[in-house]
Amino acid sequence: MKALAEAAIDAALGAGASYADARAVSLRRQYVVTKNGQVDDLSDAESEGIGVRVLVDGAWGFAGEGRLDEAAARDAALRATAFARAAPGRHGTSLAPVEPQTGEYRTPMERDPFAVPLSEKIDLCLRAEEGMRQSDVKVTVAMVRAQRDHKVLVSSEGTAVEQELSECGGGIDAYASAEGVSQIRSYPSQHSGVSGQGGWEFVEALGLDRAAPRVGEQAVALLHADECPSGRKTIVLSPEQVVMQVHESVGHPTELDRVYGTEAAYAGTSFLSPEDLGSLRYGSERMNVTSDATTPNGLGTFGFDDEGVPAQREAIVEEGVLRGFLTSRETAAQLGAGTGGCMRADGWSRMPLVRMTNLHLEPGEGSFEDLLADVDDGLYLETNKSWSIDDKRLNFQFGTQIAWEIKQGKLGRMLRDATYTGVTPVFWGKLDAVAGPEEWRLFGLTNCGKGQPGQEAHVSHGAAPARFRDVEVGVSA
């Protein structure tokens, strides 16, 4: 694949490009889904191709070709160059400098997920489904997945890197209904479960079949639980819900292409401005958020991003103050700070975009019980169910599958249909405690949408349980 990428670079430079990069990609994705004791979906698809990105007179051009041969590589390069030359207006694109990179990166693993027999995967899903069955559980679903992304990136600046990123994951859902009430309970997350880079040992560690009885029992219990009350409360969020909060209200608004407005037509912009760097009060002093493309098992982990920038760890928020953005080489040059490192595409046919890598809320200290102990009257909310946030990532509402009252530092009665609302910097300003490293968990999401045409990024976030004071909960009449 390296020779094909080099041929594309030669063709692009020969056609007048001042810069070019080419990604030759081979991608395989596999899904196994069972529903109500039957195989509901079994897919195993592969694609391959090459994507070429060029600069001509400061304008970008991109083209892809769904074949891995020299003719396809050269054709994609020539079309990308023609598209750039046809771009209207005047352009002055510049890129932050980066040393040319060479090398390889492969996901560490113990057991190749694609070497695991389909029969073993189906059996795991069916065992998990059986464990969830209760009298009022009407639908059970179990899913496992695997993906391998093999790619070679070559640039006109001398970068030539090869990577093989392997991931897998799974999840279960129990849908219960009775007397006009319907509820869902999921593990380890509602939205396609949880995935991570690594081998099949990652799926085995999730323990889908072991968690299944609790999931089914809680789905039924929710049918008879009281609705979440409305008012202002101290809330404690589970790590999985903190992850969704970080993703939507910190990750997306700190993508620098949103800040500059180039995502406005599709996915919205950001409430932040470039001048906020180093000064904006994002949250309380307990808030520390880090972007880290080196996190073990992270879906945003790599050796090099899709511009050839090496994986790095950097602060986004330190003690509540905005310290960094998620950047590309172009947006970093525009800002005059950073080197890029957050550019990824979801396949050969798409141009790289600024995407989250692994974005974490750093742990504080103490246990989950310590967070509860300092709450006289509050709520504990667990497992994301829904989210809504405006185009600037400022005003939001989240719902969770399940909640419990906190009374005098202890968990009390179960509640259903829990929601909370807030305004991003005001909400994070109410953060007054984060549990310690022993409570920190990593969650991988596979459905982060962005771009036009749309792309789905795979990203991971780590968090421990976190406590927020004086938050609006429930839906007021």
Side-chain angles (χ1 to χ4, degrees), residues 435-454:
E438 66 280 359
E439 303 278 3
W440 194 88
R441 302 289 183 270
L442 185 70
F443 292 84
L445 313 175
T446 59
N447 61 341
C448 177
K450 186 178 177 182
Q452 196 175 20

Side-chain angles (χ1 to χ4, degrees), residues 169-198:
I172 56 176
D173 301 289
Y175 298 83
S177 63
E179 299 178 359
V181 178
S182 298
Q183 294 292 313
I184 180 175
R185 196 71 183 100
S186 306
Y187 172 83
S189 173
Q190 179 187 14
H191 312 291
S192 301
V194 164
S195 293
Q197 276 196 37

Side-chain angles (χ1 to χ4, degrees), residues 60-340:
W60 285 113
F62 175 82
E65 187 65 54
R67 308 191 318 274
L68 286 179
D69 59 50
E70 185 171 340
R74 292 186 176 276
D75 180 64
L78 294 177
R79 286 190 291 116
T81 306
F83 294 152
R85 188 169 284 113
R90 300 179 64 182
H91 306 271
T93 303
S94 59
L95 304 178
V98 61
E99 289 294 321
Q101 301 293 314
T102 59
E104 298 181 356
Y105 178 85
R106 283 178 169 77
T107 301
M109 71 175 70
E110 296 176 14
R111 189 182 183 194
D112 184 348
F114 286 101
V116 177
L118 286 174
S119 59
E120 182 176 337
K121 298 176 179 179
I122 293 170
D123 182 62
L124 171 61
C125 290
L126 294 177
R127 288 201 315 273
E129 278 202 78
E130 181 64 30
M132 288 187 285
R133 291 203 175 93
Q134 302 281 327
S135 58
D136 287 327
V137 172
K138 307 302 184 184
V139 177
T140 57
V141 179
M143 181 275 290
V144 294
R145 60 173 295 276
Q147 175 174 302
R148 176 158 299 135
D149 188 4
H150 181 203
K151 55 188 176 182
V152 172
L153 171 69
V154 175
S155 83
S156 58
E157 296 175 330
T159 285
V161 295
E162 181 175 4
Q163 302 187 87
E164 188 173 86
L165 309 179
S166 299
E167 60 185 58
C168 54
I172 56 176
D173 301 289
Y175 298 83
S177 63
E179 299 178 359
V181 178
S182 298
Q183 294 292 313
I184 180 175
R185 196 71 183 100
S186 306
Y187 172 83
S189 173
Q190 179 187 14
H191 312 291
S192 301
V194 164
S195 293
Q197 276 196 37
W200 188 247
E201 63 276 4
F202 181 89
V203 173
E204 292 175 323
L206 292 176
L208 301 179
D209 50 347
R210 298 190 296 274
R214 174 185 60 81
V215 171
E217 291 165 5
Q218 288 184 349
V220 172
L222 281 168
L223 297 176
H224 310 287
D226 292 331
E227 290 187 353
C228 176
S230 299
R232 303 195 74 84
K233 298 275 189 181
T234 294
I235 65 172
V236 176
L237 300 182
S238 69
E240 189 267 356
Q241 181 57 34
V242 176
V243 157
M244 292 301 296
Q245 188 73 53
V246 168
H247 182 94
E248 299 294 345
S249 68
V250 183
H252 281 308
T254 58
E255 294 166 340
L256 196 51
D257 57 346
R258 284 180 180 267
V259 174
Y260 282 124
T262 55
E263 274 293 300
Y266 180 73
T269 56
S270 171
F271 72 93
L272 300 171
S273 69
E275 293 75 24
D276 290 329
L277 185 64
S279 62
L280 180 119
R281 171 58 64 179
Y282 212 113
S284 76
E285 292 183 355
R286 304 282 187 178
M287 184 187 186
N288 294 282
V289 177
T290 304
S291 175
D292 185 0
T294 70
T295 306
N297 295 125
L299 293 184
T301 296
F302 47 74
F304 315 88
D305 80 343
D306 285 345
E307 290 189 311
V309 179
Q312 54 193 299
R313 173 185 171 91
E314 57 183 342
I316 302 301
V317 178
E318 280 187 329
E319 296 183 347
V321 177
L322 179 67
R323 297 295 183 189
F325 288 108
L326 307 177
T327 64
S328 62
R329 292 180 62 192
E330 179 182 2
T331 57
Q334 192 172 351
L335 183 67
T339 59

Side-chain angles (χ1 to χ4, degrees), residues 26 38 44 149 166 218 262 293 315 365 377 468:
S26 175
Q38 301 290 327
D44 196 334
D149 188 4
S166 299
Q218 288 184 349
T262 55
E365 58 185 18
D377 181 20
F468 299 80

